[in-house]
Amino acid sequence: MRRVASHYVYWNGLFRMHYVELDDEGCLAGVYPLDSEIAGTEFYDGILFPVVEVGKELHAGETKVTCLRAKSLMLMEPGFDACRELGLPQAAAIGEAACLLLLAGIPLTTAEFGADDGRSDGYIQRL
């Protein structure tokens, strides 16, 4: 069993201070609130995306996020899908093989992500 926590988890919505639990086969067991410190839990700074396991293109290196247009994750409206906006695979369902992607390097309080407007670059990396 693997537990990975982050400041934010994006899984069918944005959750603050939650962790993702994967079973021994790498399938998504659930997303739970991080109410207390749990032994053996990995913690990362950024936004964690549990997505459907896909081909090797997400396994090698990092993918730079140059711009997430329209809305910030902090100001989501109904129907907003951050995975689609970032060009990521869809969110994994409970019991489905999943990989964890981490969006780091971007201040979460900005209204729009991007390198083209003088703010930080962000990178998505597979954990």
Side-chain angles (χ1 to χ4, degrees), residues 46-93:
I47 305 170
L48 194 61
F49 292 84
V51 297
V52 173
E53 181 69 62
V54 294
K56 301 290 182 192
E57 67 271 9
L58 290 173
H59 295 211
E62 299 178 331
T63 301
K64 187 173 182 179
V65 176
T66 56
C67 191
L68 173 60
R69 300 191 185 282
K71 307 163 193 85
S72 158
L73 289 173
M74 304 301 292
L75 303 171
M76 289 190 307
E77 294 177 5
F80 180 69
D81 184 357
C83 289
R84 186 179 67 239
E85 289 283 329
L86 290 169
L88 301 176
Q90 69 182 18

Side-chain angles (χ1 to χ4, degrees), residues 11-12 27-29 50-52 90-98:
W11 182 72
N12 302 325
C27 296
L28 181 65
V51 297
V52 173
Q90 69 182 18
I94 301 292
E96 194 169 26

